[in-house]
Amino acid sequence: MPRAYLVSEALGKAVAARPTLTTQQLDTYLKMGRILLRVETVPIASVPGRDELARVLYVPAGPQRVRQLRYEYRAIPDFAFVQSLFVNPKLIRSGREADGRMVYTDGHRTVQTAGKDHLLAYYDGTVNPTAIRPSDGLSMAVQFVNRHGGWTGSFVLVRLTRGEDGRQQVRFREYLNGYPLVGPEGRDVGRMELEVWGSGVRTYTRSTVRLERYVGHETLTLPDAADVLRQLGAWNIPVRDIERLSLAYLCRYRDPFVDLTPVWLVERTTGEMLLVGRETETRRVHHGLE
């Protein structure tokens, strides 16, 4: 049974906790962490009422040499999801929207798919909006994914929130070699999100892409975190508004391949995400609660 120990040399204390991880999961997380050989702290704001504390970012130190990868990929066809998400597939009606999206419905449940974005959105109007116990949301979400599409890569739980009405938002993100996958212009290729109520999963949004065969790579050098922060300041983005700064893979589809380009991922306290590449070009990725 794994144990986590939080040690403070300054306070002379250690606190032991039992994480809800298996030894295999813990080993996976530790391997991901070993990719970043050295980190540094960047103070971004003081903590109110605690003069000795500051809110800091933990970022990789120095310029980053990261591989740009190319993979063959496979888009899972719509029918594979439709067959699993509807109780009786014989009752399904389908149609194509003006923007090219396909819509499938049986009158109670709806699935929308977008071919070029490789995303699927599911809504179940039969789920009762009743409160759920905090301990049940993650388990229900994992079981739902297991039954409806499965895990098409290595996913990490990145957020678990509970609303005042009792519903839970469970969000996973796909990782490769320790870095999260993101998409350009709002195409969130590595995200899987579920809204769980007392009687089941009400909404389910996910990528329909599976990385298949590794093709090749080239090595790129990204600016260090300090340069990124200076560039953000030049764009009038204050450091105190940055929630997280980390490395990520930007996915660009070039059929039949997908190029995974290393970039800096900037997550703001507003929920907005920015990508900063080696040309220090910024691009907005997603607005909302990402």
Side-chain angles (χ1 to χ4, degrees), residues 75-92:
I76 302 173
D78 290 359
F79 74 83
F81 290 103
V82 170
Q83 291 290 324
S84 69
L85 287 167
F86 289 94
V87 176
N88 186 352
K90 295 181 179 180
L91 300 179
I92 297 172

Side-chain angles (χ1 to χ4, degrees), residues 81 85 111-114 118-122 204-208:
F81 290 103
L85 287 167
V111 169
Q112 288 190 359
T113 61
H118 303 297
L119 289 175
L120 175 145
Y122 165 79
Y204 175 41
T205 305
R206 64 166 295 156
S207 167
T208 61

Side-chain angles (χ1 to χ4, degrees), residues 227-238 242 245 266 274 276:
D227 289 338
V228 174
L229 293 173
R230 282 192 289 269
Q231 185 62 60
L232 293 173
W235 292 326
N236 296 317
I237 299 175
I242 300 174
L245 178 62
V266 183
L274 305 173
V276 181

Side-chain angles (χ1 to χ4, degrees), residues 10-283:
L11 298 177
K13 295 180 179 180
V15 178
R18 188 177 71 183
T20 56
L21 295 171
T22 65
T23 53
Q24 291 81 7
Q25 290 171 324
L26 186 61
D27 183 61
T28 299
Y29 279 87
L30 291 174
K31 286 179 179 177
M32 290 168 57
R34 293 189 193 116
I35 294 173
L36 306 179
L37 301 180
R38 187 166 60 92
V39 299
E40 59 187 358
T41 59
V42 178
I44 56 177
S46 61
V47 178
R50 302 293 296 275
D51 294 337
E52 73 278 13
L53 296 177
R55 195 162 71 88
V56 300
L57 294 174
Y58 294 90
V59 297
Q64 299 297 304
R65 289 179 57 79
V66 188
R67 289 181 174 183
Q68 174 176 285
L69 307 175
R70 171 167 285 191
Y71 274 79
E72 288 183 348
Y73 77 93
R74 180 171 66 88
I76 302 173
D78 290 359
F79 74 83
F81 290 103
V82 170
Q83 291 290 324
S84 69
L85 287 167
F86 289 94
V87 176
N88 186 352
K90 295 181 179 180
L91 300 179
I92 297 172
R93 302 185 303 275
S94 63
R96 187 178 297 276
E97 299 290 317
D99 60 1
R101 294 175 181 268
M102 285 297 299
V103 178
Y104 305 87
T105 182
D106 64 358
H108 300 288
R109 301 167 184 83
T110 301
V111 169
Q112 288 190 359
T113 61
K116 67 175 182 178
D117 293 336
H118 303 297
L119 289 175
L120 175 145
Y122 165 79
Y123 173 78
D124 186 350
T126 66
V127 173
N128 296 322
T130 55
I132 184 174
R133 292 190 305 174
S135 59
D136 291 342
L138 179 58
S139 175
M140 291 174 63
V142 170
Q143 293 177 30
F144 188 89
V145 176
N146 287 342
R147 295 193 302 267
H148 305 291
W151 307 90
T152 51
S154 297
F155 285 80
V156 172
L157 175 67
V158 295
R159 184 166 296 178
L160 178 61
T161 58
R162 179 178 171 85
E164 294 181 357
D165 51 10
R167 61 179 170 175
Q168 290 193 29
Q169 295 281 350
V170 185
R171 181 174 300 149
F172 304 92
R173 177 166 290 285
E174 185 176 0
Y175 275 66
L176 180 67
N177 298 336
Y179 301 129
L181 304 186
V182 296
E185 292 86 40
R187 293 165 59 183
D188 204 353
V189 298
R191 171 171 158 240
M192 190 181 297
E193 185 171 350
L194 303 94
E195 180 186 87
V196 185
W197 289 85
S199 63
V201 172
R202 193 173 193 180
T203 65
Y204 175 41
T205 305
R206 64 166 295 156
S207 167
T208 61
V209 167
R210 182 192 298 274
L211 299 181
E212 295 283 336
R213 186 177 67 89
Y214 166 77
V215 176
H217 74 271
E218 61 176 301
T219 302
L220 304 180
T221 300
L222 294 179
D224 63 25
D227 289 338
V228 174
L229 293 173
R230 282 192 289 269
Q231 185 62 60
L232 293 173
W235 292 326
N236 296 317
I237 299 175
V239 176
R240 64 178 180 273
D241 288 350
I242 300 174
E243 183 72 27
R244 188 175 295 106
L245 178 62
S246 60
L247 294 171
Y249 277 128
L250 171 62
C251 300
R252 294 188 178 95
Y253 295 106
R254 310 180 192 280
D255 293 342
F257 306 110
V258 56
D259 289 333
L260 293 89
T261 303
V263 293
W264 284 104
L265 172 63
V266 183
E267 299 179 68
R268 301 184 65 182
T269 54
T270 59
E272 183 182 31
M273 289 167 49
L274 305 173
L275 299 182
V276 181
R278 55 179 174 173
E279 297 86 11
T280 59
E281 172 192 2
T282 185
R283 63 182 73 207

